[in-house]
Amino acid sequence: MNESPVHAGVHMANGFDPTSGVELDKAAADLLARRDRVLGPSYRLFYREPVAIDSASGVWLYGADGRTYLDAYNNVPAIGHSHPAVTAAVTAQLSKLNTHTRYLTEPIIAYSERLLAKFPAELDRITFACTGSEAIDLAVRTARAATGKQGIIITEHAYHGTTVAAAGLSPSLGPNNPLGEHVVTIPSIDAARTPADEVGPRLLASVESAIRALNASGSGVAAIILDSIFSSDGVQTDPAGFLAPVVQAVHNADGLYIADEVQPGFGRTGAWWGFERHGIVPDLVVLGKPMGNGIPISAVVGTSAAQEKFGSLVRYFNTFGGNPVSIAAATAVLDVIEQDDLVAHAATVGAQLLTGLREIGASHEQVIDVRGAGLFLAMEFGADDATRTPDADLAARVVNGMREEGILISASGPAANALKIRPPLPFSSEHADQLLETLDRVIGRVA
Ligand code: PMP
């Protein structure tokens, strides 16, 4: 295959390389060719050999080629793929009413009351949108209105979405993606190379310097936006609590703290919200991905104080945001998380995985760090040298080796050398055993 100019300079861990010459089975090759003829050129596929999926259920994905894959990667189907409770709720609502937020309807109120009860009491208002990006966008507009300032602080390898504003807050999209005006980055947390007691102080020093830069430039500080689990920064979880002084510094500068909970929210970390591990209360929280188990719904939850100004200045109407069908899906998700006790389950099975990953790490010298919170875990590969040189190539071999063995994970981080393990929440202890046993074997085989 010829060099593909559209892939030059594009950063994506575990991306399919159409120039690699990998042999695909005929059905997959034909589908890929048809896809290339019609889909926009910005799309990327996962894996050295892309996976063609036909259907899914629970934690299982069923390949078009008849193979079964254990899903240890997808967080959108948080309560499991094709969950019957979501299907039933959406089907019933779709047959009854699907309008928008400009009529009085009861279910959106009941859902909002239930969801807000999961947050600290100060976070008492919710505004609905469809995607995480839209909610990030709205949170930024809200923070700028509330503070009268423009500056936004993000991490160096952050991902916050696809709109002009959200992509402008997403340096992990690579050097060809321009950052927004008034946006400053701080260095990513680097747990594998930072003593635990220095993680917090280093981050605080970076944030203080970003605050000084924004004030000096005249932008001032509107907000810091942090993914509470630093997913694209390689999954940075420890030591829990490192965000507290950072949030204090931003508040001292009259800025707001926006928690991006698109990845860690809804129980993934073994708590309802990722920020809880840090003992902090955000001004605004962005929700998305798992909220509707695949039905598009997202939201900004926040304090009245943070939201009042924007609400008084500008009206917000998101045509599909919070429509009755998406609310039905989101309500079913809450029901199932509560009924199946999935938050505690994520904590228990997550702890089992963390212990198992650490044991595996201890027996393979290429593993330089293992970390995680609940069902969001990372294993980082590197060399046994002074700088622990990242080994993205090994991470890719492990990800693809796991795929060959029928288990789907991916990679993440600025150097793409960290495994990203983030299964649907019903992932059981037996699934964890299967993953650990396979991972140990695959590392041994490909390292
Ligand atoms: N924030 C984070 C942390 C994300 O991971 C994503 C999506 N990957 C977004 C925001 C944007 O969400 P969406 O793709 O739904 O717009």
Side-chain angles (χ1 to χ4, degrees):
M1 247 183 258
N2 294 328
E3 273 282 43
S4 173
V6 296
H7 289 80
V10 167
H11 286 211
M12 188 174 106
N14 188 28
F16 166 60
D17 176 3
T19 68
S20 71
V22 66
E23 291 264 339
L24 304 179
D25 74 47
K26 184 167 170 358
D30 288 349
L31 189 57
L32 182 62
R34 282 173 62 199
R35 175 182 156 109
D36 280 348
R37 280 197 290 274
V38 291
L39 294 195
S42 277
Y43 286 108
R44 300 292 180 273
L45 289 160
F46 273 158
Y47 299 103
R48 203 176 75 81
E49 189 183 336
V51 182
I53 301 291
D54 188 50
S55 63
S57 171
V59 298
W60 300 100
L61 288 163
Y62 303 107
D65 58 0
R67 284 195 66 183
T68 297
Y69 298 92
L70 178 61
D71 186 357
Y73 177 75
N74 287 292
N75 58 343
V76 172
I79 60 170
H81 288 274
S82 316
H83 198 289
V86 175
T87 307
V90 164
T91 307
Q93 188 61 50
L94 202 48
S95 325
K96 187 179 173 201
L97 173 75
N98 198 18
T99 52
H100 51 76
T101 48
R102 280 182 167 159
Y103 298 113
L104 276 173
T105 52
E106 199 275 338
I108 190 173
I109 308 307
Y111 176 76
S112 301
E113 289 165 349
R114 263 179 85 183
L115 188 69
L116 288 172
K118 310 273 182 220
F119 285 91
E122 306 91 300
L123 296 161
D124 59 358
R125 295 297 165 109
I126 179 163
T127 307
F128 292 95
C130 303
T131 65
S133 305
E134 286 181 337
I136 285 283
D137 224 78
L138 174 62
V140 168
R141 294 171 71 196
T142 303
R144 284 180 170 159
T147 58
K149 309 281 176 50
Q150 295 299 311
I152 307 283
I153 303 169
I154 54 168
T155 54
E156 202 165 69
H157 207 68
Y159 182 80
H160 295 291
T162 57
T163 64
V164 172
L169 299 165
S170 299
S172 66
L173 288 171
N176 303 329
N177 171 67
L179 292 189
E181 245 191 297
H182 312 290
V183 175
V184 295
T185 63
I186 53 170
S188 296
I189 296 147
D190 187 359
R193 292 165 197 80
T194 313
D197 60 353
E198 280 183 36
V199 169
R202 280 193 204 176
L203 191 69
L204 178 61
S206 307
V207 169
E208 284 171 339
S209 141
I211 291 171
R212 281 194 296 274
L214 285 172
N215 283 335
S217 73
S219 300
V221 183
I224 188 165
I225 305 181
L226 298 170
D227 171 349
S228 312
I229 196 142
F230 299 89
S231 172
S232 57
D233 286 293
V235 188
Q236 303 293 344
T237 50
D238 302 299
F242 69 74
L243 284 183
V246 165
V247 170
Q248 190 56 53
V250 172
H251 281 160
N252 292 346
D254 296 327
L256 302 188
Y257 161 44
I258 300 173
D260 184 338
E261 290 278 337
V262 168
Q263 296 269 350
F266 292 93
R268 174 145 305 274
T269 62
W272 268 95
W273 313 113
F275 63 77
E276 291 177 51
R277 300 181 65 247
H278 292 279
I280 47 181
V281 178
D283 301 287
L284 296 166
V285 181
V286 171
L287 305 176
K289 286 189 190 282
M291 192 171 182
N293 213 55
I295 296 294
I297 181 167
S298 68
V300 176
V301 167
T303 63
S304 289
Q307 296 182 82
E308 217 136 35
K309 188 78 183 176
F310 182 74
S312 72
L313 292 175
V314 195
R315 73 187 141 76
Y316 184 79
F317 174 63
N318 188 315
T319 303
F320 303 116
N323 75 24
V325 167
S326 67
I327 292 291
T331 302
V333 170
L334 280 195
D335 289 343
V336 173
I337 293 178
E338 286 175 358
Q339 281 156 20
D340 295 355
D341 208 6
L342 289 178
V343 181
H345 175 82
T348 308
V349 179
Q352 176 192 345
L353 275 172
L354 189 59
T355 304
L357 291 175
R358 287 198 172 126
E359 282 166 15
I360 293 172
S363 64
H364 297 278
E365 61 182 5
Q366 299 88 346
V367 176
I368 59 168
D369 199 38
V370 168
R371 50 189 181 261
L375 285 174
F376 205 146
L377 304 111
M379 170 180 272
E380 199 171 327
F381 295 104
D384 187 19
D385 58 16
T387 56
R388 313 184 107 190
T389 306
D391 194 342
D393 196 53
L394 177 55
R397 290 203 302 278
V398 172
V399 166
N400 285 294
M402 293 292 281
R403 179 233 183 275
E404 282 161 25
E405 304 252 353
I407 300 183
L408 300 184
I409 58 170
S410 195
S412 154
N417 65 323
L419 299 184
K420 178 166 156 188
I421 300 170
R422 191 192 51 179
L425 300 183
F427 205 75
S428 70
S429 177
E430 292 71 38
H431 300 135
D433 282 340
Q434 185 185 342
L435 181 142
L436 292 166
E437 182 266 314
T438 310
L439 182 63
D440 192 23
R441 187 154 35 78
V442 167
I443 297 174
R445 173 160 67 79
V446 303

